[in-house]
């Protein structure tokens, strides 16, 4: 089967083991991302409820700023091989710490740490993975194989998100899912070490580029400042919707197996829908309407859903009863589903094309700075705003629909 696939994709005989290892790394990375995200959201809702989410998001943003800043520094200073291994070792060590916390930490403390660290760890895992892909594959080969690699990554995430609720229904604890994620990450690390061991000497050069753009210098030009601002605003909207989604989810599924089942299948469907939209719709919209309209597609869709959600939220908050809440619940779920799916299928691919317009000298540093440090600044600022906003006596969680 692998021989036929290699011939179909015109992969040289000597390159096929490395491509198989890259697909294995993508699949196992997807399993880790899916299990970690599902476990973190589930245990936090069960332990603390939605009221603590704004504060946890604020702390997660601070942790993310620190982690991505360190990530950005070492990505410029170390060789590709050393940086790739170091990145996965750090993520594995953090995961082992969280898994070890099952025995050492109080359950509530562990659940809080897991939720706070989930976003930053998943972010640097995916950033490191795609850095490896870009470093190991030539532009032409990367364009040829990127779709197959994305299928492996998405396949791992969907499998983890769909299988985890079934494991919980079979009697496994939700915390036990972390062991599956950790084992998958270890396998991905071995696959990456195999890939890097076969790297040519061209990957031995240092990644640091003299005069590269740091986070602050992204605002030195109007073009990169607009790019960073757009991404930060998008992250802020995603954080608002995430808070609203988890709030209504807890109202409908307070905990237990029903919560795991709903979150698992919902997140799995959103990942699968994002891949389908990107595979079959993104290029048609881009060619038909251009990058600008493609980027505006998500805000327009969210606006159409947010207006009725805000109206129904008033009915839910002031005596509208269960029927109004049901409408509000559906609208929030659809808004979050569209946000996750369209962000992955429309916004991120469009931004990747915009990054291609930058000079090779600055492209990777600007992209990692925007997607790393600045995205986490967006999480922190939004979490801080939500923490202050919900402290107002007249504010309920559904008032975030207006924001």
């Amino acid at each position: 089967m692998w021989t036929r696939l290699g011939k179909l994709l015109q992969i040289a005989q000597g390159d096929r083991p490395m491509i198989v290892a890259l697909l294995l790394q993508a699949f196992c990375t997807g399993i880790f991302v899916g299990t970690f995200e599902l476990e973190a959201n589930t245990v936090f809702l069960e332990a603390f409820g939605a009221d603590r989410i704004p504060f946890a998001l604020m702390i997660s943003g601070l942790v993310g700023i620190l982690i991505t800043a360190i990530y950005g520094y070492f990505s410029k200073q170390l060789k590709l091989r050393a940086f790739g291994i170091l990145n996965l070792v750090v993520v594995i060590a953090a995961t082992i710490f969280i898994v070890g916390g099952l025995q050492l930490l109080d359950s509530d403390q562990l659940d809080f740490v897991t939720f706070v660290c989930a976003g930053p760890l998943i972010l640097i895992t995916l950033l490191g993975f795609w850095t490896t892909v870009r470093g190991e594959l030539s532009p032409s080969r990367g364009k040829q194989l990127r779709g197959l690699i994305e299928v492996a990554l998405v396949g791992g995430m969907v499998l983890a998100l769909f299988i985890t609720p079934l494991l919980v229904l079979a009697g496994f604890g939700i915390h036990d899912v972390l062991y599956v994620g950790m084992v998958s990450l270890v396998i991905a690390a071995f696959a990456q070490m195999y890939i890097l061991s076969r790297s040519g000497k061209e990957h031995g050069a240092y990644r640091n580029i003299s005069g590269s753009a740091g986070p602050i210098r992204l605002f030195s030009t109007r073009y990169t400042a607009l790019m960073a601002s757009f991404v930060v605003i998008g992250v802020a909207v995603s954080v608002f919707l995430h808070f609203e989604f988890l709030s209504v989810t807890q109202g409908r599924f307070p905990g237990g197996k029903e919560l795991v089942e709903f979150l698992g299948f919902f997140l799995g469907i959103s990942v699968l829908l994002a891949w389908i939209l990107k595979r079959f719709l993104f290029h048609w919209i881009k060619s038909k309407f251009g990058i600008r309209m493609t980027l505006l597609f998500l805000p327009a869709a969210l606006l159409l859903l947010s207006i009725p959600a805000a109206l129904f939220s008033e009915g839910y908050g002031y005596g509208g009863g269960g029927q109004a809440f049901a409408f509000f619940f559906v609208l929030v779920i659809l808004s979050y589903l569209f946000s996750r799916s369209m962000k992955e299928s429309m916004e991120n691919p469009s931004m990747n094309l915009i990054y291609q317009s930058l000079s090779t000298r600055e492209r990777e540093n600007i992209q990692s700075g925007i997607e790393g440090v600045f995205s986490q600044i967006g999480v922190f600022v939004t979490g801080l705003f939500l923490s202050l906003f919900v402290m107002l006596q007249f504010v309920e969680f559904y008032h975030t629909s207006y924001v």
Side-chain angles (χ1 to χ4, degrees), residues 87-206:
N87 183 57
L88 275 179
V89 167
V90 170
V91 176
I92 291 173
T95 308
I96 291 175
F97 170 78
I98 293 174
V99 172
L102 293 173
Q103 309 298 329
L104 302 176
L105 296 178
D106 177 77
S107 177
D108 288 348
Q109 293 176 341
L110 175 64
D111 294 341
F112 186 85
V113 171
T114 302
F115 184 83
V116 164
C117 294
L121 290 180
I122 290 174
L123 176 62
I124 65 169
T125 299
L126 293 176
L127 285 176
F129 170 73
W130 287 114
T131 297
T132 300
V133 173
R134 290 193 296 268
E136 296 300 324
L137 301 179
S138 63
S140 59
R141 183 52 57 89
K143 184 178 181 180
Q144 179 187 19
L145 295 175
R146 186 181 180 91
L148 187 60
I149 294 170
E150 285 183 351
V151 168
L153 181 66
V154 169
M157 294 174 64
V158 171
L159 179 65
L161 291 167
F162 282 170
I163 292 296
T164 298
L166 300 180
L167 293 176
V168 173
L169 290 174
F172 289 88
I174 185 62
H175 287 99
D176 297 334
V177 176
L178 280 176
Y179 292 103
V180 178
M182 186 179 69
V183 171
S184 300
L185 194 62
V186 171
I187 296 174
F190 279 111
Q192 178 160 341
M193 285 189 286
Y194 174 79
I195 294 168
L196 295 176
S197 68
R198 294 175 59 89
S199 300
K201 293 183 179 180
E202 66 270 15
H203 297 304
Y206 281 91

Side-chain angles (χ1 to χ4, degrees), residues 252-324:
R252 179 63 180 83
F253 306 100
K257 296 179 180 179
E258 287 187 348
L259 177 62
V260 180
E261 187 176 0
F262 172 76
L263 286 177
F265 286 111
F266 174 85
L267 294 176
I269 290 172
S270 70
V271 172
L272 189 59
L273 179 62
W275 180 81
I276 293 173
L277 291 175
K278 182 179 180 180
R279 176 67 178 82
F280 298 102
L281 192 61
F282 168 69
H283 293 289
W284 180 81
I285 293 179
K286 178 176 67 70
S287 61
K288 189 76 172 178
F289 302 103
I291 290 292
R292 181 179 298 178
M293 292 302 299
T294 304
L295 287 172
L296 292 176
F297 192 80
L298 174 58
L302 289 179
L303 184 62
L304 292 176
L305 289 170
S306 298
I307 293 175
L311 296 176
F312 278 113
S313 68
E314 289 296 336
Y316 168 55
Y318 297 101
Q323 185 176 4

